Amino acid sequence: MYSRRKIVLLLALGGAAALLVSIATVLIKITTHVERFSAETSAMAYLEILSDTQHFYSRDIVGPASHNGVNVSRDFSNHDNAIPFPATFMHGLTESLSQQYDTKNFRFFSRYPFFERPMSGPQDLFEEDALSFFEENPDQDMFSRLDDIDGEPVMRNAMALRMAESCVGCHNSHEESPKKDWMLGDLRGVQAVSEEISFFSAWSVAHGATWLFILCGILVLLVAAVVIAVVLLAWRHIDLSDAHAHIETLAWQDTICDLANRRALVSMIEAELKETTPKPFAIFMMDLVNFKTINDVHGHSGGDDVLRIVGKRLQELPYQDTTVARIGGDEFALLKRGTRDSEEIEKLAKSIVEIIEQPITLNGRRVHTGTSVGIALAPKHGRTARDLLDNADMAMYHAKATAGCQWSYFSANLRESALRAERLSEEIREGIARGQFVVYYQPQFSLTDGRIFGLEALVRWQHPREGLLLPGAFLSIAEERGLIVALSEVVIRQSIQDILRWRGGGLAVPRIAINIHQDQINDRNHLRWVERCYKDSAVDSGHLTFEITEGCILGRGNHHVPDLLQQWRDRGYGVSLDDFGTGFASLSHLKNLPVSEFKIDRSFIEDLLDDPPDRAIVDGLVKLSAELGTTLIAEGVETLEQAVMLRMMGAPYAQGYLFARPLPPARTDRLIEEKGVAVMHDRQAKAA
């Protein structure tokens, strides 16, 4: 009897153990599937949110920003008025999200690593496999796999990012694109989410326990498993909800100033326009004066403090039914509902100007800024949010460009002017690409022997319809649209070709003066390109003079310019200070700056014969240049009497219509043969 009971007990225990093992196995498998399903669901949701975020950023931020002249660049942090590429933005966003979640790893990678981010390429076998899978299966957009990393199971999910129509056009034309032959549907990159899976398991072993005890243990185990599964799912749901709320905040709210962002403002404007009986409202657009200088002096944290203070002041204006938004950079907008009264609108504009002009204290120092306000009225000035914001923006820039104007209403003339400027800027780009811009040379002569001292290189536009255009017709638009560096490269390339042609043809090579613009001074890459061009072409640096204006020296943020000029002088280049006397440069600049020559502005030469003060100034500058050993050139000499007077004063060199107008290269060649060129050592001796 005892042995039978023992057998029964053993069988019971064995059965219970088997049942327990079976239940534990089932629970582990169930939990594994639950965890995997939860990880996949969570990852898919995150990936969809990230995909929506990228689409929104590309469509609603990058598109309008590019249309309004904002640069889109990988190296956005080193450029003013610039925002990152969508890929760069998403790479930064996924890095930020990975830092906020201990159990998740967000990745954004590509066959084409991002700018200065070598880790943005594929880093392991899963990422290589995901890229290969998407490349081999163009109709598939999801790739998932359960990997074992350092002994821990990790659920890995990837979503393909493929080239859309709008992406193809931009990538194939943008100078920073990694390739120029993108096709629709090509794999641009991959968004991935990896998450560790922690398996839940519980074992219950009862030594000498009854069946009831075993059953209770199993029930407790089942309840615990359910509770843990529910907790895990709830935790994942809370985690996902927090991430969704965070992304939603980024999409609709400016996180620096805690204001509505551009997307939110557009939504509010569209809601106002869609009302059954729309009420009139006004859009006020404004940006901050000298904001870049504030960032340079006080750092970006100080700049953010200024933005927050300005945003708070705008919110505290004593006007009802207003919404303040920061729409990017240092630009703010204010929506004023339910008003068409011009007096109230102008009073609000004046209040905006006054509160922004009030001093701000940063780290114990007072900071001053200001603004110009552009105003667009609905529906008079637009029936869409985009039109109203664009028109208010145009009015703001018109107010900024008009001296003494603090605010301005939009008008149809502004739109026409903007369209003309846009067309002209596109024609300039096309003209540069098609070689329509040419170089003319205005000679500079010695007043003692009539030989050519040098040539000033000047750009001209051989327009296909309007003929030869002078810089006054296009230079200001080129400066506004950031095309001045490209135009300068045309002048530099042509001057190098002409120097080599003169040298190859046995002609004496004259000294050539190249005008350097403020944008070129601030573009270190361009300056390196200039020096590399001259070095590669073996052009003697003594044949070249870089001509700058007072603004390049005295402008804010130009502390590096004296060192740059000294570097040019050390390499043998000449440095000329143009239009001397018309700005705020003092005589000390001639003493302290490494300039080899300066040019007397034509305004002093114009009345040289009839205006004793002008004559005294010119005479003093001639003597000063001789004392300092600096070359002096008189600009704008148009009469023989002016030339005679300058020669009597001892002025060595002059240029102007009396001697020659700017000439094309072919006529310049003949003039060099006819007049001759002062040899290099003669010019250096006279300048010494």
Side-chain angles (χ1 to χ4, degrees), residues 638-659:
E638 298 185 356
T639 67
L640 181 60
E641 291 77 10
Q642 292 172 343
V644 171
M645 177 66 72
L646 287 168
R647 182 175 180 180
M648 291 174 59
M649 290 180 175
Y653 307 110
Q655 73 180 85
Y657 288 173
L658 172 65
F659 307 105

mmCIF file with all atom_site columns, all heavy atoms in Angstrom, residues 638-659:
data_model
loop_
_atom_site.group_PDB
_atom_site.id
_atom_site.type_symbol
_atom_site.label_atom_id
_atom_site.label_alt_id
_atom_site.label_comp_id
_atom_site.label_asym_id
_atom_site.label_entity_id
_atom_site.label_seq_id
_atom_site.pdbx_PDB_ins_code
_atom_site.Cartn_x
_atom_site.Cartn_y
_atom_site.Cartn_z
_atom_site.occupancy
_atom_site.B_iso_or_equiv
_atom_site.pdbx_formal_charge
_atom_site.auth_seq_id
_atom_site.auth_comp_id
_atom_site.auth_asym_id
_atom_site.auth_atom_id
_atom_site.pdbx_PDB_model_num
ATOM 1   N N   . GLU A 1 638 ? 37.712 113.410 -64.511 1.00 0.00 ? 638 GLU A N   1
ATOM 2   C CA  . GLU A 1 638 ? 36.977 113.533 -65.763 1.00 0.00 ? 638 GLU A CA  1
ATOM 3   C C   . GLU A 1 638 ? 37.410 114.715 -66.623 1.00 0.00 ? 638 GLU A C   1
ATOM 4   O O   . GLU A 1 638 ? 37.004 114.808 -67.780 1.00 0.00 ? 638 GLU A O   1
ATOM 5   C CB  . GLU A 1 638 ? 35.472 113.635 -65.462 1.00 0.00 ? 638 GLU A CB  1
ATOM 6   C CG  . GLU A 1 638 ? 34.919 112.402 -64.757 1.00 0.00 ? 638 GLU A CG  1
ATOM 7   C CD  . GLU A 1 638 ? 33.407 112.474 -64.579 1.00 0.00 ? 638 GLU A CD  1
ATOM 8   O OE1 . GLU A 1 638 ? 32.824 113.522 -64.942 1.00 0.00 ? 638 GLU A OE1 1
ATOM 9   O OE2 . GLU A 1 638 ? 32.829 111.487 -64.091 1.00 0.00 ? 638 GLU A OE2 1
ATOM 10  N N   . THR A 1 639 ? 38.206 115.637 -66.078 1.00 0.00 ? 639 THR A N   1
ATOM 11  C CA  . THR A 1 639 ? 38.636 116.800 -66.865 1.00 0.00 ? 639 THR A CA  1
ATOM 12  C C   . THR A 1 639 ? 40.154 116.921 -66.796 1.00 0.00 ? 639 THR A C   1
ATOM 13  O O   . THR A 1 639 ? 40.802 116.472 -65.861 1.00 0.00 ? 639 THR A O   1
ATOM 14  C CB  . THR A 1 639 ? 37.999 118.095 -66.341 1.00 0.00 ? 639 THR A CB  1
ATOM 15  O OG1 . THR A 1 639 ? 38.522 118.393 -65.037 1.00 0.00 ? 639 THR A OG1 1
ATOM 16  C CG2 . THR A 1 639 ? 36.479 117.966 -66.266 1.00 0.00 ? 639 THR A CG2 1
ATOM 17  N N   . LEU A 1 640 ? 40.684 117.571 -67.851 1.00 0.00 ? 640 LEU A N   1
ATOM 18  C CA  . LEU A 1 640 ? 42.127 117.786 -67.905 1.00 0.00 ? 640 LEU A CA  1
ATOM 19  C C   . LEU A 1 640 ? 42.578 118.682 -66.765 1.00 0.00 ? 640 LEU A C   1
ATOM 20  O O   . LEU A 1 640 ? 43.661 118.488 -66.197 1.00 0.00 ? 640 LEU A O   1
ATOM 21  C CB  . LEU A 1 640 ? 42.499 118.415 -69.259 1.00 0.00 ? 640 LEU A CB  1
ATOM 22  C CG  . LEU A 1 640 ? 43.984 118.682 -69.491 1.00 0.00 ? 640 LEU A CG  1
ATOM 23  C CD1 . LEU A 1 640 ? 44.788 117.395 -69.422 1.00 0.00 ? 640 LEU A CD1 1
ATOM 24  C CD2 . LEU A 1 640 ? 44.184 119.383 -70.835 1.00 0.00 ? 640 LEU A CD2 1
ATOM 25  N N   . GLU A 1 641 ? 41.745 119.671 -66.386 1.00 0.00 ? 641 GLU A N   1
ATOM 26  C CA  . GLU A 1 641 ? 42.105 120.585 -65.308 1.00 0.00 ? 641 GLU A CA  1
ATOM 27  C C   . GLU A 1 641 ? 42.270 119.826 -63.978 1.00 0.00 ? 641 GLU A C   1
ATOM 28  O O   . GLU A 1 641 ? 43.182 120.130 -63.195 1.00 0.00 ? 641 GLU A O   1
ATOM 29  C CB  . GLU A 1 641 ? 41.053 121.679 -65.158 1.00 0.00 ? 641 GLU A CB  1
ATOM 30  C CG  . GLU A 1 641 ? 40.993 122.671 -66.314 1.00 0.00 ? 641 GLU A CG  1
ATOM 31  C CD  . GLU A 1 641 ? 40.281 122.102 -67.530 1.00 0.00 ? 641 GLU A CD  1
ATOM 32  O OE1 . GLU A 1 641 ? 39.675 121.014 -67.402 1.00 0.00 ? 641 GLU A OE1 1
ATOM 33  O OE2 . GLU A 1 641 ? 40.332 122.728 -68.603 1.00 0.00 ? 641 GLU A OE2 1
ATOM 34  N N   . GLN A 1 642 ? 41.390 118.860 -63.746 1.00 0.00 ? 642 GLN A N   1
ATOM 35  C CA  . GLN A 1 642 ? 41.518 118.054 -62.522 1.00 0.00 ? 642 GLN A CA  1
ATOM 36  C C   . GLN A 1 642 ? 42.824 117.270 -62.526 1.00 0.00 ? 642 GLN A C   1
ATOM 37  O O   . GLN A 1 642 ? 43.526 117.197 -61.510 1.00 0.00 ? 642 GLN A O   1
ATOM 38  C CB  . GLN A 1 642 ? 40.327 117.088 -62.411 1.00 0.00 ? 642 GLN A CB  1
ATOM 39  C CG  . GLN A 1 642 ? 39.002 117.769 -62.150 1.00 0.00 ? 642 GLN A CG  1
ATOM 40  C CD  . GLN A 1 642 ? 37.833 116.791 -62.257 1.00 0.00 ? 642 GLN A CD  1
ATOM 41  O OE1 . GLN A 1 642 ? 37.975 115.709 -62.812 1.00 0.00 ? 642 GLN A OE1 1
ATOM 42  N NE2 . GLN A 1 642 ? 36.672 117.205 -61.758 1.00 0.00 ? 642 GLN A NE2 1
ATOM 43  N N   . ALA A 1 643 ? 43.175 116.692 -63.660 1.00 0.00 ? 643 ALA A N   1
ATOM 44  C CA  . ALA A 1 643 ? 44.406 115.917 -63.757 1.00 0.00 ? 643 ALA A CA  1
ATOM 45  C C   . ALA A 1 643 ? 45.629 116.795 -63.532 1.00 0.00 ? 643 ALA A C   1
ATOM 46  O O   . ALA A 1 643 ? 46.575 116.400 -62.844 1.00 0.00 ? 643 ALA A O   1
ATOM 47  C CB  . ALA A 1 643 ? 44.477 115.232 -65.116 1.00 0.00 ? 643 ALA A CB  1
ATOM 48  N N   . VAL A 1 644 ? 45.611 118.016 -64.125 1.00 0.00 ? 644 VAL A N   1
ATOM 49  C CA  . VAL A 1 644 ? 46.739 118.933 -63.963 1.00 0.00 ? 644 VAL A CA  1
ATOM 50  C C   . VAL A 1 644 ? 46.893 119.329 -62.496 1.00 0.00 ? 644 VAL A C   1
ATOM 51  O O   . VAL A 1 644 ? 48.004 119.361 -61.941 1.00 0.00 ? 644 VAL A O   1
ATOM 52  C CB  . VAL A 1 644 ? 46.563 120.171 -64.864 1.00 0.00 ? 644 VAL A CB  1
ATOM 53  C CG1 . VAL A 1 644 ? 47.618 121.229 -64.535 1.00 0.00 ? 644 VAL A CG1 1
ATOM 54  C CG2 . VAL A 1 644 ? 46.634 119.773 -66.328 1.00 0.00 ? 644 VAL A CG2 1
ATOM 55  N N   . MET A 1 645 ? 45.764 119.641 -61.853 1.00 0.00 ? 645 MET A N   1
ATOM 56  C CA  . MET A 1 645 ? 45.804 120.037 -60.451 1.00 0.00 ? 645 MET A CA  1
ATOM 57  C C   . MET A 1 645 ? 46.351 118.897 -59.580 1.00 0.00 ? 645 MET A C   1
ATOM 58  O O   . MET A 1 645 ? 47.181 119.120 -58.702 1.00 0.00 ? 645 MET A O   1
ATOM 59  C CB  . MET A 1 645 ? 44.410 120.428 -59.978 1.00 0.00 ? 645 MET A CB  1
ATOM 60  C CG  . MET A 1 645 ? 44.331 120.795 -58.503 1.00 0.00 ? 645 MET A CG  1
ATOM 61  S SD  . MET A 1 645 ? 45.248 122.307 -58.104 1.00 0.00 ? 645 MET A SD  1
ATOM 62  C CE  . MET A 1 645 ? 44.155 123.543 -58.857 1.00 0.00 ? 645 MET A CE  1
ATOM 63  N N   . LEU A 1 646 ? 45.910 117.673 -59.842 1.00 0.00 ? 646 LEU A N   1
ATOM 64  C CA  . LEU A 1 646 ? 46.388 116.529 -59.071 1.00 0.00 ? 646 LEU A CA  1
ATOM 65  C C   . LEU A 1 646 ? 47.883 116.314 -59.272 1.00 0.00 ? 646 LEU A C   1
ATOM 66  O O   . LEU A 1 646 ? 48.619 116.013 -58.336 1.00 0.00 ? 646 LEU A O   1
ATOM 67  C CB  . LEU A 1 646 ? 45.613 115.265 -59.472 1.00 0.00 ? 646 LEU A CB  1
ATOM 68  C CG  . LEU A 1 646 ? 44.165 115.180 -58.979 1.00 0.00 ? 646 LEU A CG  1
ATOM 69  C CD1 . LEU A 1 646 ? 43.421 114.045 -59.678 1.00 0.00 ? 646 LEU A CD1 1
ATOM 70  C CD2 . LEU A 1 646 ? 44.127 114.961 -57.461 1.00 0.00 ? 646 LEU A CD2 1
ATOM 71  N N   . ARG A 1 647 ? 48.324 116.482 -60.504 1.00 0.00 ? 647 ARG A N   1
ATOM 72  C CA  . ARG A 1 647 ? 49.759 116.308 -60.769 1.00 0.00 ? 647 ARG A CA  1
ATOM 73  C C   . ARG A 1 647 ? 50.576 117.383 -60.059 1.00 0.00 ? 647 ARG A C   1
ATOM 74  O O   . ARG A 1 647 ? 51.654 117.094 -59.510 1.00 0.00 ? 647 ARG A O   1
ATOM 75  C CB  . ARG A 1 647 ? 50.004 116.352 -62.267 1.00 0.00 ? 647 ARG A CB  1
ATOM 76  C CG  . ARG A 1 647 ? 51.470 116.125 -62.640 1.00 0.00 ? 647 ARG A CG  1
ATOM 77  C CD  . ARG A 1 647 ? 51.661 116.042 -64.119 1.00 0.00 ? 647 ARG A CD  1
ATOM 78  N NE  . ARG A 1 647 ? 53.062 115.838 -64.454 1.00 0.00 ? 647 ARG A NE  1
ATOM 79  C CZ  . ARG A 1 647 ? 53.524 115.720 -65.695 1.00 0.00 ? 647 ARG A CZ  1
ATOM 80  N NH1 . ARG A 1 647 ? 52.678 115.775 -66.720 1.00 0.00 ? 647 ARG A NH1 1
ATOM 81  N NH2 . ARG A 1 647 ? 54.812 115.549 -65.915 1.00 0.00 ? 647 ARG A NH2 1
ATOM 82  N N   . MET A 1 648 ? 50.052 118.640 -60.041 1.00 0.00 ? 648 MET A N   1
ATOM 83  C CA  . MET A 1 648 ? 50.758 119.714 -59.348 1.00 0.00 ? 648 MET A CA  1
ATOM 84  C C   . MET A 1 648 ? 50.840 119.430 -57.843 1.00 0.00 ? 648 MET A C   1
ATOM 85  O O   . MET A 1 648 ? 51.820 119.802 -57.180 1.00 0.00 ? 648 MET A O   1
ATOM 86  C CB  . MET A 1 648 ? 50.051 121.047 -59.607 1.00 0.00 ? 648 MET A CB  1
ATOM 87  C CG  . MET A 1 648 ? 50.164 121.541 -61.045 1.00 0.00 ? 648 MET A CG  1
ATOM 88  S SD  . MET A 1 648 ? 49.173 123.017 -61.337 1.00 0.00 ? 648 MET A SD  1
ATOM 89  C CE  . MET A 1 648 ? 49.893 124.148 -60.128 1.00 0.00 ? 648 MET A CE  1
ATOM 90  N N   . MET A 1 649 ? 49.789 118.785 -57.310 1.00 0.00 ? 649 MET A N   1
ATOM 91  C CA  . MET A 1 649 ? 49.796 118.441 -55.885 1.00 0.00 ? 649 MET A CA  1
ATOM 92  C C   . MET A 1 649 ? 50.745 117.287 -55.571 1.00 0.00 ? 649 MET A C   1
ATOM 93  O O   . MET A 1 649 ? 51.068 117.047 -54.416 1.00 0.00 ? 649 MET A O   1
ATOM 94  C CB  . MET A 1 649 ? 48.380 118.046 -55.432 1.00 0.00 ? 649 MET A CB  1
ATOM 95  C CG  . MET A 1 649 ? 47.407 119.195 -55.384 1.00 0.00 ? 649 MET A CG  1
ATOM 96  S SD  . MET A 1 649 ? 45.774 118.592 -54.848 1.00 0.00 ? 649 MET A SD  1
ATOM 97  C CE  . MET A 1 649 ? 44.868 120.133 -54.740 1.00 0.00 ? 649 MET A CE  1
ATOM 98  N N   . GLY A 1 650 ? 51.154 116.564 -56.608 1.00 0.00 ? 650 GLY A N   1
ATOM 99  C CA  . GLY A 1 650 ? 52.036 115.426 -56.392 1.00 0.00 ? 650 GLY A CA  1
ATOM 100 C C   . GLY A 1 650 ? 51.325 114.096 -56.333 1.00 0.00 ? 650 GLY A C   1
ATOM 101 O O   . GLY A 1 650 ? 51.940 113.094 -55.940 1.00 0.00 ? 650 GLY A O   1
ATOM 102 N N   . ALA A 1 651 ? 50.015 114.050 -56.709 1.00 0.00 ? 651 ALA A N   1
ATOM 103 C CA  . ALA A 1 651 ? 49.292 112.775 -56.724 1.00 0.00 ? 651 ALA A CA  1
ATOM 104 C C   . ALA A 1 651 ? 49.903 111.875 -57.790 1.00 0.00 ? 651 ALA A C   1
ATOM 105 O O   . ALA A 1 651 ? 50.064 112.288 -58.934 1.00 0.00 ? 651 ALA A O   1
ATOM 106 C CB  . ALA A 1 651 ? 47.809 113.003 -57.007 1.00 0.00 ? 651 ALA A CB  1
ATOM 107 N N   . PRO A 1 652 ? 50.239 110.646 -57.467 1.00 0.00 ? 652 PRO A N   1
ATOM 108 C CA  . PRO A 1 652 ? 50.959 109.800 -58.425 1.00 0.00 ? 652 PRO A CA  1
ATOM 109 C C   . PRO A 1 652 ? 50.072 109.133 -59.472 1.00 0.00 ? 652 PRO A C   1
ATOM 110 O O   . PRO A 1 652 ? 50.458 109.013 -60.628 1.00 0.00 ? 652 PRO A O   1
ATOM 111 C CB  . PRO A 1 652 ? 51.629 108.756 -57.527 1.00 0.00 ? 652 PRO A CB  1
ATOM 112 C CG  . PRO A 1 652 ? 50.744 108.665 -56.331 1.00 0.00 ? 652 PRO A CG  1
ATOM 113 C CD  . PRO A 1 652 ? 50.155 110.027 -56.132 1.00 0.00 ? 652 PRO A CD  1
ATOM 114 N N   . TYR A 1 653 ? 48.862 108.698 -59.075 1.00 0.00 ? 653 TYR A N   1
ATOM 115 C CA  . TYR A 1 653 ? 48.056 107.880 -59.976 1.00 0.00 ? 653 TYR A CA  1
ATOM 116 C C   . TYR A 1 653 ? 46.603 108.352 -59.969 1.00 0.00 ? 653 TYR A C   1
ATOM 117 O O   . TYR A 1 653 ? 46.124 108.914 -58.983 1.00 0.00 ? 653 TYR A O   1
ATOM 118 C CB  . TYR A 1 653 ? 48.105 106.404 -59.572 1.00 0.00 ? 653 TYR A CB  1
ATOM 119 C CG  . TYR A 1 653 ? 49.511 105.877 -59.423 1.00 0.00 ? 653 TYR A CG  1
ATOM 120 C CD1 . TYR A 1 653 ? 50.021 105.562 -58.161 1.00 0.00 ? 653 TYR A CD1 1
ATOM 121 C CD2 . TYR A 1 653 ? 50.322 105.703 -60.535 1.00 0.00 ? 653 TYR A CD2 1
ATOM 122 C CE1 . TYR A 1 653 ? 51.311 105.082 -58.019 1.00 0.00 ? 653 TYR A CE1 1
ATOM 123 C CE2 . TYR A 1 653 ? 51.619 105.224 -60.402 1.00 0.00 ? 653 TYR A CE2 1
ATOM 124 C CZ  . TYR A 1 653 ? 52.110 104.919 -59.148 1.00 0.00 ? 653 TYR A CZ  1
ATOM 125 O OH  . TYR A 1 653 ? 53.374 104.457 -59.010 1.00 0.00 ? 653 TYR A OH  1
ATOM 126 N N   . ALA A 1 654 ? 45.904 108.062 -61.085 1.00 0.00 ? 654 ALA A N   1
ATOM 127 C CA  . ALA A 1 654 ? 44.507 108.462 -61.199 1.00 0.00 ? 654 ALA A CA  1
ATOM 128 C C   . ALA A 1 654 ? 43.790 107.538 -62.168 1.00 0.00 ? 654 ALA A C   1
ATOM 129 O O   . ALA A 1 654 ? 44.406 106.881 -63.009 1.00 0.00 ? 654 ALA A O   1
ATOM 130 C CB  . ALA A 1 654 ? 44.406 109.911 -61.667 1.00 0.00 ? 654 ALA A CB  1
ATOM 131 N N   . GLN A 1 655 ? 42.484 107.506 -62.025 1.00 0.00 ? 655 GLN A N   1
ATOM 132 C CA  . GLN A 1 655 ? 41.635 106.795 -62.977 1.00 0.00 ? 655 GLN A CA  1
ATOM 133 C C   . GLN A 1 655 ? 40.355 107.585 -63.151 1.00 0.00 ? 655 GLN A C   1
ATOM 134 O O   . GLN A 1 655 ? 39.928 108.314 -62.256 1.00 0.00 ? 655 GLN A O   1
ATOM 135 C CB  . GLN A 1 655 ? 41.332 105.376 -62.500 1.00 0.00 ? 655 GLN A CB  1
ATOM 136 C CG  . GLN A 1 655 ? 40.343 105.274 -61.340 1.00 0.00 ? 655 GLN A CG  1
ATOM 137 C CD  . GLN A 1 655 ? 40.086 103.844 -60.900 1.00 0.00 ? 655 GLN A CD  1
ATOM 138 O OE1 . GLN A 1 655 ? 40.823 103.275 -60.112 1.00 0.00 ? 655 GLN A OE1 1
ATOM 139 N NE2 . GLN A 1 655 ? 39.020 103.268 -61.442 1.00 0.00 ? 655 GLN A NE2 1
ATOM 140 N N   . GLY A 1 656 ? 39.759 107.451 -64.314 1.00 0.00 ? 656 GLY A N   1
ATOM 141 C CA  . GLY A 1 656 ? 38.532 108.173 -64.580 1.00 0.00 ? 656 GLY A CA  1
ATOM 142 C C   . GLY A 1 656 ? 38.259 108.243 -66.066 1.00 0.00 ? 656 GLY A C   1
ATOM 143 O O   . GLY A 1 656 ? 39.065 107.808 -66.907 1.00 0.00 ? 656 GLY A O   1
ATOM 144 N N   . TYR A 1 657 ? 37.105 108.816 -66.417 1.00 0.00 ? 657 TYR A N   1
ATOM 145 C CA  . TYR A 1 657 ? 36.696 108.867 -67.820 1.00 0.00 ? 657 TYR A CA  1
ATOM 146 C C   . TYR A 1 657 ? 37.610 109.738 -68.670 1.00 0.00 ? 657 TYR A C   1
ATOM 147 O O   . TYR A 1 657 ? 37.616 109.620 -69.896 1.00 0.00 ? 657 TYR A O   1
ATOM 148 C CB  . TYR A 1 657 ? 35.263 109.369 -67.928 1.00 0.00 ? 657 TYR A CB  1
ATOM 149 C CG  . TYR A 1 657 ? 34.231 108.362 -67.454 1.00 0.00 ? 657 TYR A CG  1
ATOM 150 C CD1 . TYR A 1 657 ? 32.887 108.704 -67.338 1.00 0.00 ? 657 TYR A CD1 1
ATOM 151 C CD2 . TYR A 1 657 ? 34.596 107.065 -67.123 1.00 0.00 ? 657 TYR A CD2 1
ATOM 152 C CE1 . TYR A 1 657 ? 31.943 107.788 -66.901 1.00 0.00 ? 657 TYR A CE1 1
ATOM 153 C CE2 . TYR A 1 657 ? 33.671 106.145 -66.689 1.00 0.00 ? 657 TYR A CE2 1
ATOM 154 C CZ  . TYR A 1 657 ? 32.346 106.510 -66.581 1.00 0.00 ? 657 TYR A CZ  1
ATOM 155 O OH  . TYR A 1 657 ? 31.429 105.592 -66.164 1.00 0.00 ? 657 TYR A OH  1
ATOM 156 N N   . LEU A 1 658 ? 38.371 110.653 -68.052 1.00 0.00 ? 658 LEU A N   1
ATOM 157 C CA  . LEU A 1 658 ? 39.328 111.447 -68.825 1.00 0.00 ? 658 LEU A CA  1
ATOM 158 C C   . LEU A 1 658 ? 40.345 110.539 -69.510 1.00 0.00 ? 658 LEU A C   1
ATOM 159 O O   . LEU A 1 658 ? 40.734 110.790 -70.656 1.00 0.00 ? 658 LEU A O   1
ATOM 160 C CB  . LEU A 1 658 ? 40.055 112.428 -67.900 1.00 0.00 ? 658 LEU A CB  1
ATOM 161 C CG  . LEU A 1 658 ? 41.235 113.195 -68.527 1.00 0.00 ? 658 LEU A CG  1
ATOM 162 C CD1 . LEU A 1 658 ? 40.733 114.129 -69.632 1.00 0.00 ? 658 LEU A CD1 1
ATOM 163 C CD2 . LEU A 1 658 ? 41.992 113.969 -67.471 1.00 0.00 ? 658 LEU A CD2 1
ATOM 164 N N   . PHE A 1 659 ? 40.764 109.509 -68.843 1.00 0.00 ? 659 PHE A N   1
ATOM 165 C CA  . PHE A 1 659 ? 41.791 108.620 -69.376 1.00 0.00 ? 659 PHE A CA  1
ATOM 166 C C   . PHE A 1 659 ? 41.174 107.461 -70.161 1.00 0.00 ? 659 PHE A C   1
ATOM 167 O O   . PHE A 1 659 ? 41.576 107.187 -71.288 1.00 0.00 ? 659 PHE A O   1
ATOM 168 C CB  . PHE A 1 659 ? 42.641 108.067 -68.236 1.00 0.00 ? 659 PHE A CB  1
ATOM 169 C CG  . PHE A 1 659 ? 43.206 109.131 -67.341 1.00 0.00 ? 659 PHE A CG  1
ATOM 170 C CD1 . PHE A 1 659 ? 42.676 109.351 -66.076 1.00 0.00 ? 659 PHE A CD1 1
ATOM 171 C CD2 . PHE A 1 659 ? 44.258 109.931 -67.768 1.00 0.00 ? 659 PHE A CD2 1
ATOM 172 C CE1 . PHE A 1 659 ? 43.193 110.326 -65.254 1.00 0.00 ? 659 PHE A CE1 1
ATOM 173 C CE2 . PHE A 1 659 ? 44.773 110.908 -66.936 1.00 0.00 ? 659 PHE A CE2 1
ATOM 174 C CZ  . PHE A 1 659 ? 44.240 111.124 -65.681 1.00 0.00 ? 659 PHE A CZ  1
#
